[in-house]
Amino acid sequence: MTPTPLANGFCFGEGPRWFEGLVWFSDMLGEAVYTVTLGGEMSTLDLAGHSPSGLGFRPDGTLLIVSTKRRQLLGYDGDSVSTVADLSELVPADLGDMVVDRHGCAYVGSQAREGGVIVRVDPGCDGAGRATVVAGDLDFPNGMAITPDGETLIVAESTARRLTAFTIAADGSLCDRRVFADALDGPPDGICLDAGGGVWTAMTLAHQFQRITAGGAGHSATAGGAGNSTTAGGTGTVTDRIDMGDRTAIACALGGPEGRTLFLVSSTDAYPQRLVGTKLSRLDATIVDVPAAALP
């Protein structure tokens, strides 16, 4: 199935999420967060000066927003935006993507090409948050996802071209680091999980979205006209590919009424600095066989 355009006219989309019947995503260069209905109607939350990226929702519905260059985590309660945590003293580089667990803890990546870290921000009182570095020595940590049981976090390491998994301990710390899939076809960017254990991954320089399962096994879904299973390097299997032509795959999310709508954010270049002042990013949608994993 060919992806169908849902929204366009923004500069550089990132961090799509499905929540309460809407697709939410950031426009990092346009300094805004958008919502889009399945009918294509858009609304805008302006965030001048913040370069928003990763998004996530706490159990009370608060939208958490990563402010990349200010290295802050913001919170939006539907009325106003506040600073939840300032991570600038903890991280070696600008922030990127994020995932939020069922307790409201946010895991935020700092995107150093070498020596990147993941910071956990715990819910606090009066808008404050306690922040702790929970993983290091990562090669440009990017998209993240948590399994439905809440026990595993998967992160895309872009410059290493691999997906890495961690066990989430009872206290929220990360341990037991291991490879989920490596030697990928391109640098992975945004990711999301489905109910079959597959990770949909934006392969930027390969101009594709790919579904990857760990250890060479998994359910083979059908989307984008692909159905062949092929090995992704040393570990992992690519079960499906969605070819974006000359467009660069940036990030993806599963949602929709049945959890089978795959939302695809793409642009015309993998390097945001080359796209300043443009409005060439696009949000597409397509239907896949395997629905979204349950919320962690």
Side-chain angles (χ1 to χ4, degrees):
M1 180 178 292
T2 302
T4 301
L6 189 60
N8 55 33
F10 48 97
C11 191
F12 194 82
E14 273 285 8
R17 297 289 184 266
W18 173 260
F19 184 71
E20 292 189 342
L22 297 170
V23 187
W24 303 66
F25 64 94
S26 295
D27 185 351
M28 189 168 66
L29 298 180
E31 299 189 321
V33 169
Y34 291 101
T35 65
V36 183
T37 69
L38 292 177
E41 297 177 4
M42 296 180 65
S43 64
T44 307
L45 171 65
D46 291 318
L47 289 168
H50 280 291
S51 300
S53 185
L55 303 178
F57 292 89
R58 281 185 166 161
D60 65 0
T62 298
L63 171 63
L64 297 181
I65 307 164
V66 170
S67 176
T68 59
K69 296 188 181 301
R70 291 192 183 184
R71 304 182 184 186
Q72 295 174 340
L73 183 61
L74 310 176
Y76 175 61
D77 61 5
D79 182 39
S80 61
V81 177
S82 61
T83 300
V84 172
D86 188 330
L87 307 182
S88 56
E89 297 298 319
L90 291 175
V91 299
D94 289 349
L95 304 180
D97 217 329
M98 167 180 61
V99 66
V100 180
D101 72 9
R102 59 185 157 196
H103 307 294
C105 296
Y107 292 83
V108 185
S110 172
Q111 295 181 324
R113 291 186 176 275
E114 296 180 351
V117 303
I118 296 174
V119 178
R120 189 188 74 243
V121 180
D122 299 330
C125 299
D126 300 323
R130 183 170 62 89
T132 308
V133 175
V134 290
D137 296 322
L138 294 162
D139 296 338
F140 206 90
N142 214 323
M144 285 181 277
I146 294 175
T147 54
D149 59 11
E151 295 182 356
T152 302
L153 181 146
I154 300 170
V155 58
E157 291 190 73
S158 293
T159 54
R161 298 196 176 199
R162 67 172 168 252
L163 302 177
T164 297
F166 292 90
T167 296
I168 303 175
D171 63 358
S173 61
L174 302 181
C175 58
D176 187 25
R177 179 175 178 169
R178 56 203 182 273
V179 173
F180 183 94
D182 64 1
L184 303 179
D185 292 336
D189 195 331
I191 68 173
C192 63
L193 280 173
D194 67 26
V199 178
W200 278 103
T201 307
M203 293 294 184
T204 54
L205 300 183
H207 302 280
Q208 292 182 347
F209 290 90
Q210 297 181 358
R211 182 181 184 271
I212 301 172
T213 57
H219 186 286
S220 179
T222 301
N228 294 352
S229 296
T230 59
T231 300
T235 60
T237 297
V238 178
T239 67
D240 299 275
R241 290 180 170 85
I242 299 174
D243 194 339
M244 298 301 292
D246 60 355
R247 296 189 65 80
T248 301
I250 301 297
C252 54
L254 278 164
E258 298 178 350
R260 295 176 53 240
T261 304
L262 183 64
F263 300 101
L264 311 169
V265 176
S266 66
S267 191
T268 57
D269 201 301
Y271 301 95
Q273 61 269 26
R274 299 176 182 171
L275 295 170
V276 175
T278 68
K279 291 184 179 293
L280 301 175
S281 276
R282 194 171 76 205
L283 175 68
D284 292 339
T286 191
I287 301 299
V288 296
D289 284 350
V290 185
L295 290 176

